[in-house]
Amino acid sequence: MPHESLADFLENLASAGELARVEIEADPDLEIAEIIARCARSGGPAILFDRPKGYATALVTNLLGTPARLARALGADSLEAVVETIAQRAGQGARRGWLTRLSAEEQNSAAGKFAPKTVKAAACQQVVRLGGDVDLAQIPAIRVGPEESQPALTAALVLFSSPDGERLALRRQSLPVLSRTTLALHAESYGPLRQQADAWAARGERMPVAVILGADPSVMLAAELPLEDVGEPYAAAGLLRGAPLEVVACRSHELPVPAHAEMILEGSIDLDEPLVEIPYLAAPSGFYARNLPAYRLHVAAITQRSNPVVPAIVYGRPPTELTVINQLAARLLLPHARAVAPEIVDLCLPSFAPGRSCAIVSIRKTQPHQARKVAGALWALDALRYTKTVIVVDPSVDVADVNAVMHRATACLDPARDVFYQDGLAEPLDQSVSRGGVVQKLGIDATAKLPEERDNQASDDRTAWPREIISSEETQTQVAGRWKQYGLPLPDRAP
């Protein structure tokens, strides 16, 4: 059965020995982030901080910090099982792939089967604070890095819609707390938030926004995973959990929010107000984003469970929760990638690039310069539009083995021939690129070169493609059979 709430998931983790509790006081100002960074590097458990310093509300972090925990969040034993289950639910035999866009009116479609159900009473509205009772300072916010000027709600799910209400969007953002009633909401130069804000501004109206803090894992992942083609985000959450999600209308406006969420912040953006600037903000890349323009999100109401638990995500040097989520994202993206480039064999979003800044893909090569075509196809996917580097290798290379990939990408690389560039969108939080919005993406062709791609004017053997040193099967079998006789410990892995 799907988890109805974050509380259900925490109970599941506790029964499996995957949840640790810190009962002593811990400071959300830098201390908690350092604790989580150390636990994440060692594959540690999710951690529930019962007493965040200065707050009465508990804080949970590192929720999806391992592949096993991410799979458990979706009721599966492995990420592979998650992908298989989702494919079955969505209808793998669809002509355009199992994540093709489906109309909510089609009764047999994924969007139709898993469309959200509206309820009138909800756990997320057990306690309601309005007007002068709204105080964001009571919600545990963390500082990840010492240069951040304000603590932030790092696991906030931002919900907004088009003025006609037909297009609903859900995005995770880190929201700095500016005052008792105001949050900073990054106003990226392009993307759905800016597009809808412009549409609301054209009507001369404030833009309603809801911030979800702590929902069942399917809602959290619907904001992160490449599931846009399923339809609206709550249908994607229903697909992930295998059952429709219950939603309820906000108290101060009509946006629908998860009925079993821990806490909802209801507010709006006055689009006539000048933007504010976020001096430093911890970004998913593990570096600071600087001088970010932001809307002021004015919070008019807070609704919550009677004893809520607020989640947080810690950004920093990988591995982090986002690198684990990217493992599942790569599995879900593979059908999309193969739909536009059938020669693709496998795809990896490596852990050293938590913001999806790098993708590694293996292909069955049949024509010269095919790597350039495949890299262009990946950059055309919405989920990889910000990816800065694409590395293309042969099918014999395990895309998840970074050492094997980099061996091919360095030992057999001719930069003049195998490195190429393509203009594309810049990640809004990436401070290593200019603010112009367009950057040059890097492609690396680490595949074996066909004769047409090599200098075949010369006749000597130096123009042939390098041959890798691989032990013969006969020698490998002989050594494996005699290993115990050598008196050596078993190697960590077979050659």
Side-chain angles (χ1 to χ4, degrees), residues 32 43 81 102 153 155 222 279 305 309 311 352-354 387 426 429 463 479 485:
I32 285 179
L102 297 168
L153 304 173
R305 287 171 170 266
V309 176
F352 62 74
T387 299
L429 296 180
T463 62
V479 170
Q485 299 177 33

Side-chain angles (χ1 to χ4, degrees), residues 359-436:
I360 301 170
V361 61
S362 59
I363 66 170
R364 292 187 180 89
K365 189 172 178 178
T366 59
Q367 56 186 276
H369 309 297
Q370 200 165 357
R372 296 171 184 251
K373 170 207 168 188
V374 170
L378 292 183
W379 282 319
L381 294 175
D382 187 66
L384 298 180
R385 61 178 176 163
Y386 297 141
T387 299
K388 289 196 291 186
T389 303
V390 172
I391 304 173
V392 187
V393 295
D394 293 308
S396 60
V397 180
D398 180 359
V399 293
D401 186 342
V402 174
N403 284 334
V405 170
M406 296 312 296
H407 174 236
R408 292 297 184 98
T410 54
C412 302
L413 185 76
D414 179 354
R417 177 193 61 202
D418 301 330
V419 175
F420 53 95
Y421 301 91
Q422 177 174 307
D423 288 345
L425 288 175
E427 158 62 55
L429 296 180
D430 187 348
Q431 295 295 310
S432 67
V433 300
S434 67
R435 286 294 183 88

Side-chain angles (χ1 to χ4, degrees), residues 145-439:
E147 294 186 39
E148 287 188 292
S149 54
Q150 293 104 1
L153 304 173
T154 58
L157 305 181
V158 180
L159 180 76
F160 53 94
S161 74
S162 57
D164 59 14
E166 292 184 0
R167 292 183 296 278
L168 199 66
L170 184 67
R171 296 290 187 271
R172 181 194 46 76
Q173 269 207 32
S174 186
L175 306 182
V177 180
L178 301 180
S179 70
R180 286 170 53 94
T181 61
T182 311
L183 297 167
L185 180 57
H186 175 213
E188 60 184 71
S189 301
Y190 33 81
L193 178 61
R194 175 60 69 91
Q195 292 170 5
Q196 299 306 339
D198 290 344
W200 283 95
R203 292 173 52 144
E205 299 180 25
R206 296 173 71 106
M207 179 179 179
V209 175
V211 176
I212 303 162
L213 297 177
D216 87 75
S218 69
V219 180
M220 300 181 195
L221 290 168
E224 297 277 2
L225 293 173
L227 293 169
E228 293 90 347
D229 284 353
V230 175
E232 62 97 40
Y234 291 150
L239 176 64
L240 289 170
R241 68 200 303 270
L245 182 75
E246 290 187 346
V247 298
V248 66
C250 286
R251 298 294 293 267
S252 60
H253 50 61
E254 294 301 315
L255 283 175
V257 293
H260 298 280
E262 299 293 303
M263 184 179 294
I264 304 294
L265 313 181
E266 303 177 9
S268 63
I269 300 170
D270 183 348
L271 297 166
D272 291 329
E273 282 187 327
L275 300 178
V276 297
E277 189 174 83
I278 307 173
Y280 286 91
L281 183 69
S285 63
F287 293 86
Y288 289 106
R290 294 174 294 162
N291 305 322
L292 296 175
Y295 299 112
R296 292 179 177 90
L297 175 56
H298 299 278
V299 178
I302 298 177
T303 70
Q304 64 178 64
R305 287 171 170 266
S306 55
N307 291 294
V309 176
V310 173
I313 292 178
V314 172
Y315 305 125
R317 186 180 304 168
T320 66
E321 283 187 71
L322 294 185
T323 63
V324 176
I325 292 172
N326 275 346
Q327 292 182 40
L328 179 56
R331 301 297 92 199
L332 295 175
L333 275 171
L334 193 54
H336 283 286
R338 286 175 175 163
V340 294
E343 59 268 52
I344 289 177
V345 175
D346 205 357
L347 174 69
C348 175
L349 300 175
S351 61
F352 62 74
R356 298 184 193 171
S357 60
C358 179
I360 301 170
V361 61
S362 59
I363 66 170
R364 292 187 180 89
K365 189 172 178 178
T366 59
Q367 56 186 276
H369 309 297
Q370 200 165 357
R372 296 171 184 251
K373 170 207 168 188
V374 170
L378 292 183
W379 282 319
L381 294 175
D382 187 66
L384 298 180
R385 61 178 176 163
Y386 297 141
T387 299
K388 289 196 291 186
T389 303
V390 172
I391 304 173
V392 187
V393 295
D394 293 308
S396 60
V397 180
D398 180 359
V399 293
D401 186 342
V402 174
N403 284 334
V405 170
M406 296 312 296
H407 174 236
R408 292 297 184 98
T410 54
C412 302
L413 185 76
D414 179 354
R417 177 193 61 202
D418 301 330
V419 175
F420 53 95
Y421 301 91
Q422 177 174 307
D423 288 345
L425 288 175
E427 158 62 55
L429 296 180
D430 187 348
Q431 295 295 310
S432 67
V433 300
S434 67
R435 286 294 183 88
V438 176
V439 295

Side-chain angles (χ1 to χ4, degrees), residues 407-408 411-412 448 454 461-470:
H407 174 236
R408 292 297 184 98
C412 302
R454 304 196 298 264
D461 196 50
R462 287 176 298 176
T463 62
W465 185 250
R467 297 171 61 184
E468 187 175 1
I469 302 170
I470 300 176

